[in-house]
């Protein structure tokens, strides 16, 4: 499958508390998100990969100073991402990968093969276990405590041999994991000198191949900012 070429776009400024609310349900499809949020990044990558930059408008928010209307009018949980489409708002990042894939044009992000779809669902169901083990390791011994989780992904990447991704070809499962892996890779290497790619050739190739995909590269967050954010949040 050919990787779509993504046209560079200018990132809109993040909306602050005093920003006016866009006209809700006026026919515009909007993705409410935050640039540094790994959950929102999932929907952002999906949008880009399917070539929907002209169909889905980014509405970035400053989550430290977000507008009150967002919770009142858009998403009662006050979280991102949220997609405004066809008179309704869809939330939850994993649901949004599937929703955008099913309801918009562009290359499909989930295979037809039943075995691959089944394994994909297993991997999606495992994500909370994965992140739930890695984050606490930041206050302990990451190679020992988080290492088995990266070994799990290394093994999962060997399930199918028709490509370097979890289901062989690039899919929504890869999108679901990469936004956290981006942050874990940077933070663990910088703070603990722990390279999660070492001794895991399939994981190394997966990361390498991901960094060739424009739809993802345009969403990446500043590595230094990731380190500082994670130090403050998880090591204080």
């Amino acid at each position: 499958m050919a990787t779509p070429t993504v046209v560079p776009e200018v990132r809109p400024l993040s909306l602050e508390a005093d920003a006016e609310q866009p006209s809700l349900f006026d026919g515009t499809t909007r993705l409410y998100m935050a640039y540094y949020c790994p959950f929102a990044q999932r929907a952002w990558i999906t949008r880009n990969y399917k070539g929907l930059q002209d169909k889905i408008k980014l509405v970035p928010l400053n989550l430290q100073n977000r507008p009150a209307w967002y919770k009142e009018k858009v998403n009662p949980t006050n979280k991102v991402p949220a997609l405004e489409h066809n008179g309704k708002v869809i939330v939850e990042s994993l649901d949004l990968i599937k929703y955008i894939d099913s309801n918009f044009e562009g290359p499909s992000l989930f295979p037809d093969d039943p075995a691959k779809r089944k394994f994909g669902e297993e991997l999606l169901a495992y994500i909370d276990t994965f992140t739930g083990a890695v984050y606490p390791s930041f206050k302990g011994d990451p190679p020992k405590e988080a290492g088995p989780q990266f070994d799990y992904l290394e093994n999962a990447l060997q399930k199918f041999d028709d490509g370097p991704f979890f289901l062989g070809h690039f899919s929504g499962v890869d999108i679901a994991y990469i936004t956290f892996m981006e942050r874990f890779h940077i933070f663990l290497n910088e703070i603990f000198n722990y390279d999660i790619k070492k001794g895991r050739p399939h994981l190394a190739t997966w990361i390498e191949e991901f960094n060739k995909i424009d739809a993802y590269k345009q969403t990446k967050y500043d590595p230094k900012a990731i380190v500082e954010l994670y130090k403050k949040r998880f090591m204080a």
Side-chain angles (χ1 to χ4, degrees):
M1 181 187 299
T3 301
T5 299
V6 178
V7 178
E9 64 177 340
V10 177
R11 293 187 179 188
L13 294 176
S14 297
L15 300 186
E16 304 284 342
D18 59 355
E20 290 187 17
Q21 179 187 355
S23 299
L24 196 64
F25 306 138
D26 63 355
T28 303
T29 301
R30 298 180 176 90
L31 175 61
Y32 297 89
M33 46 84 77
Y35 289 124
Y36 59 84
C37 173
F39 298 98
Q41 189 183 6
R42 287 170 167 169
W44 187 10
I45 296 169
T46 304
R47 161 198 184 258
N48 289 359
Y49 191 81
K50 292 180 73 71
L52 300 169
Q53 290 85 342
D54 293 335
K55 302 286 179 65
I56 300 178
K57 179 181 179 181
L58 292 184
V59 183
L61 306 176
N62 178 355
L63 298 186
Q64 275 67 53
N65 190 36
R66 71 194 84 183
W69 52 254
Y70 181 69
K71 180 178 181 180
E72 295 167 0
K73 304 292 185 180
V74 180
N75 186 358
T77 70
N78 211 19
K79 298 178 181 179
V80 292
L83 184 75
E84 175 192 338
H85 180 238
N86 279 354
K88 59 184 177 182
V89 174
I90 305 94
V91 298
E92 298 298 337
S93 60
L94 293 181
D95 292 342
L96 276 175
I97 294 174
K98 295 180 179 180
Y99 182 88
I100 294 171
D101 187 50
S102 301
N103 289 273
F104 293 86
E105 63 195 40
S108 175
L109 281 168
F110 292 93
D112 294 327
D113 181 275
K116 289 188 174 186
R117 292 187 77 93
K118 181 176 184 294
F119 188 58
E121 289 300 327
E122 291 173 5
L123 287 171
L124 291 176
Y126 188 76
I127 285 181
D128 286 347
T129 299
F130 170 72
T131 58
V134 176
Y135 280 125
S137 77
F138 295 166
K139 291 188 176 182
D141 184 347
K144 180 180 178 181
E145 297 170 27
Q149 299 303 322
F150 299 117
D151 291 338
Y152 176 90
L153 298 190
E154 173 70 12
N155 292 331
L157 285 163
Q158 300 175 58
K159 176 79 170 179
F160 301 104
D161 60 5
D162 56 337
F165 298 103
F166 284 117
L167 306 183
H169 296 291
F170 184 78
S171 75
V173 177
D174 300 293
I175 293 174
Y177 275 91
I178 190 59
T179 63
F180 291 93
M181 288 295 289
E182 173 187 332
R183 289 155 177 78
F184 295 160
H185 182 210
I186 290 168
F187 185 72
L188 290 170
N189 196 50
E190 176 69 23
I191 300 300
F192 297 95
N193 196 30
Y194 176 38
D195 183 357
I196 60 175
K197 298 185 298 181
K198 188 174 182 180
R200 301 183 181 99
H202 292 83
L203 192 61
T205 298
W206 182 77
I207 292 172
E208 180 182 344
E209 291 301 313
F210 234 118
N211 280 302
K212 297 177 183 177
I213 299 175
D214 288 338
Y216 163 62
K217 288 193 293 184
Q218 292 198 5
T219 71
K220 293 177 73 172
Y221 199 58
D222 175 32
K224 292 183 179 179
I226 287 175
V227 171
E228 292 308 310
L229 183 66
Y230 270 35
K231 281 169 61 177
K232 182 178 180 180
R233 183 173 179 182
F234 298 107
M235 300 185 72

